[in-house]
Amino acid sequence: MQGREQWATRYGFMLAAVGSGVGLGNIWRFPYITGELGGGAFLLVYLICVLIIGLPTMIAEFSIGKRGQLDAVGSFQKTAKSKPWVIGGWLGVITSFLIVSFYAVITGWVLYYMFSYLTGAVQQVEPGGIGEFFEGFIGHDFLPVVWQIIVMAIIVGILYFGVKKGIELSNKIFMPLLAVILIVLAGYSLSLDGAAEGLAFLFIPDWSALGDPNLYLAAIGQAFFTLSLGMGIMVTYGGYLSSQTGKRLPGTAASIVLLDTLFAIVVGVIIFISIFTIGGIEPDQGPTLIFAVLPEVFNQMAGTGTFFAILFFFLVFIAGLSSAISLAEVSVSFAIRQFNMSRKKAALIVGALITLVGVPSALSQGGPLGEVLIFGETILDFVDLLTDSYFLPIGGLIVVLFVGWGWKRSEAFETADFKNQWLGNLWLILLRFVAPIMIIIILLANYLGIGV
């Protein structure tokens, strides 16, 4: 069996982890949930959830991988004294596999939009017709599958070259590129007429919105989704840490969480300023915000709309691609160990399987499988609901209980590299009590149909 791959540098590991978090969760999911749930009020609760649940859970996931030095399943098996804990590893592999199957579909939509702007197809759509343009594409008999396959081919190509030359190298290119594009778009958006209204919506809370229980449930769920928690990604990435790259883990995790959160906020600034610049459009447009609403805004921007749109969709594409790579790597890493495969073979086989599983989702949004419903949901929406509402929180619950209660205090502190005793104790308190209670609440709410 081939030796375990490792990160070349701590910086490369950080960028890969940030790349995993910075994805559709930040650009697609965060803005529309924020728009639906009160803007600044949601942002405030979300930031608290990231701090008291997201960061502690991320450190715990890294610690499991760092201690196990294997894939998600293997690291649980190696570090768990009792076998039931390994369910967390298996759930991470299954969850990430299912998420990337529809994630690649949506990233394909993004790539199609970027291509359509480059060819001028979107600009030719009559005002008010973008929604029909979007529905026509996702409801096509085969086009969504074509773009899904293109995205999956890029993902497999990067994973094919391994941790250092594939994942790490690509993120060393992607993340600085994203930062530059983000700065350009943010600087431009702040010059628009709707800057004051957009900033006020995002940063000044409507305190009445805090009375909505959906706001808290969505904030906890978004903290898990955007930080790639409960998916096995951070356990897998932790398994590539060496004694050198794994030093100062709490500080590294805090930096990753900070960068991911800043990215989401700046994207929110760009999107909400754009919306308020063009009158007659409300921010609470739901999941179709970036596909059916923002293009209408871009098309109404005299002169600069096309340039702004191309940059924006390129930003979304690179962000979605970096997250999809991380999601797929969980299954690739597992396949390499479980079936003693070479990385190249594992990347090709796992990539083909993910693509096949994702095809029904690609054809379920008005296409040939549009009438197929599972518990009243289309195939894509059902897979999204199943993973987001149940698998992610259950996986996260297993992680916090395992590290918080299954490890000795000294083992947890040593693996996570906590030098400050006070911070280490606070981390354990959050893992043992605060995070489990909040995760159980969201699971019960989702089961009872209370959530958004």
Side-chain angles (χ1 to χ4, degrees):
M1 184 174 177
Q2 56 187 317
R4 179 75 174 171
E5 295 178 90
Q6 292 184 328
W7 302 110
T9 63
R10 180 168 169 266
Y11 173 70
F13 158 63
M14 282 183 58
L15 288 181
V18 171
S20 173
V22 173
L24 296 182
N26 297 76
I27 304 176
W28 171 56
R29 204 169 184 272
F30 175 77
Y32 85 71
I33 291 178
T34 304
E36 289 180 332
L37 295 171
F42 173 80
L43 177 61
L44 177 63
V45 176
Y46 166 68
L47 292 176
I48 294 172
C49 290
V50 165
L51 185 63
I52 65 176
I53 302 178
L55 178 57
T57 306
M58 176 177 283
I59 296 172
E61 291 202 8
F62 281 149
S63 297
I64 295 171
K66 179 184 174 183
R67 191 173 175 190
Q69 288 292 295
L70 293 170
D71 59 279
V73 174
S75 288
F76 268 97
Q77 287 175 332
K78 189 175 177 179
T79 59
K81 294 180 179 179
S82 55
K83 292 300 181 184
W85 290 113
V86 79
I87 294 172
W90 282 102
L91 193 58
V93 173
I94 294 168
T95 302
S96 58
F97 185 95
L98 290 175
I99 291 177
V100 76
S101 73
F102 74 81
Y103 210 93
V105 173
I106 298 173
T107 306
W109 298 352
V110 175
L111 187 58
Y112 171 76
Y113 262 75
M114 189 179 78
F115 176 78
S116 297
Y117 267 105
L118 287 170
T119 60
V122 183
Q123 296 93 316
Q124 296 174 11
V125 176
E126 294 293 326
I130 294 292
E132 186 177 341
F133 174 84
F134 176 57
E135 291 173 3
F137 166 65
I138 63 174
H140 195 276
D141 288 345
F142 63 85
L143 271 182
V145 175
V146 172
W147 290 95
Q148 173 214 5
I149 291 173
I150 293 172
V151 170
M152 283 303 307
I154 298 171
I155 293 168
V156 170
I158 291 172
L159 293 176
Y160 188 86
F161 290 101
V163 173
K164 294 179 183 179
K165 295 181 180 179
I167 301 171
E168 188 170 347
L169 180 61
S170 64
N171 279 287
K172 283 181 176 179
I173 298 170
F174 290 164
M175 291 305 103
L177 182 60
L178 281 180
V180 170
I181 296 173
L182 201 62
I183 291 170
V184 171
L185 290 177
Y188 175 76
S189 67
L190 289 172
S191 69
L192 298 176
D193 294 338
E197 286 183 90
L199 292 174
F201 177 80
L202 185 58
F203 294 114
I204 299 178
D206 173 7
W207 300 111
S208 64
L210 296 177
D212 184 359
N214 285 338
L215 184 148
Y216 302 93
L217 300 174
I220 298 172
Q222 178 63 14
F224 266 83
F225 194 91
T226 190
L227 295 176
S228 301
L229 303 176
M231 305 178 189
I233 293 174
M234 298 310 173
V235 177
T236 301
Y237 277 12
Y240 295 131
L241 288 169
S242 65
S243 57
Q244 291 300 314
T245 54
K247 287 182 176 180
R248 303 188 301 276
L249 203 54
T252 301
S255 299
I256 293 167
V257 169
L258 177 62
L259 289 171
D260 177 83
T261 305
L262 282 175
F263 187 95
I265 292 172
V266 176
V267 169
V269 167
I270 294 168
I271 289 177
F272 291 121
I273 287 178
S274 300
I275 289 173
F276 282 103
T277 295
I278 306 298
I281 298 176
E282 296 298 325
D284 57 343
Q285 298 293 320
T288 61
L289 179 63
I290 71 168
F291 295 110
V293 179
L294 279 181
E296 291 281 6
V297 174
F298 297 149
N299 282 358
Q300 292 182 52
M301 290 181 179
T304 58
T306 296
F307 175 74
F308 195 88
I310 292 171
L311 266 189
F312 177 79
F313 281 106
F314 183 61
L315 172 84
V316 182
F317 170 66
I318 294 298
L321 186 65
S322 64
S323 286
I325 290 166
S326 301
L327 286 160
E329 172 61 18
V330 177
S331 295
V332 171
S333 179
F334 168 74
I336 290 171
R337 180 192 61 83
Q338 185 72 19
F339 303 106
N340 196 21
M341 289 183 179
S342 68
R343 165 166 287 275
K344 293 179 178 180
K345 185 177 180 180
L348 292 172
I349 293 175
V350 169
L353 289 174
I354 291 172
T355 304
L356 288 174
V357 171
V359 167
S361 290
L363 299 177
S364 69
Q365 302 299 293
L369 299 180
E371 300 299 319
V372 178
L373 301 179
I374 305 175
F375 295 106
E377 303 283 349
T378 66
I379 297 171
L380 187 152
D381 292 334
F382 173 75
V383 177
D384 183 18
L385 178 68
L386 181 67
T387 52
D388 179 46
S389 298
Y390 299 101
F391 287 3
L392 290 186
I394 291 173
L397 182 63
I398 292 172
V399 166
V400 297
L401 291 177
F402 175 47
V403 176
W405 294 101
W407 287 8
K408 294 179 181 178
R409 181 188 298 264
S410 58
E411 292 174 336
F413 283 8
E414 181 182 357
T415 306
D417 199 26
F418 269 104
K419 305 299 184 185
N420 186 303
Q421 192 80 7
W422 184 86
L423 287 176
N425 286 328
L426 177 60
W427 173 59
L428 276 184
I429 289 172
L430 292 172
L431 280 187
R432 289 178 173 179
F433 302 104
V434 179
I437 290 172
M438 296 183 76
I439 294 171
I440 289 172
I441 289 173
I442 193 173
L443 276 170
L444 289 174
N446 287 335
Y447 179 74
L448 296 172
I450 300 173
V452 291

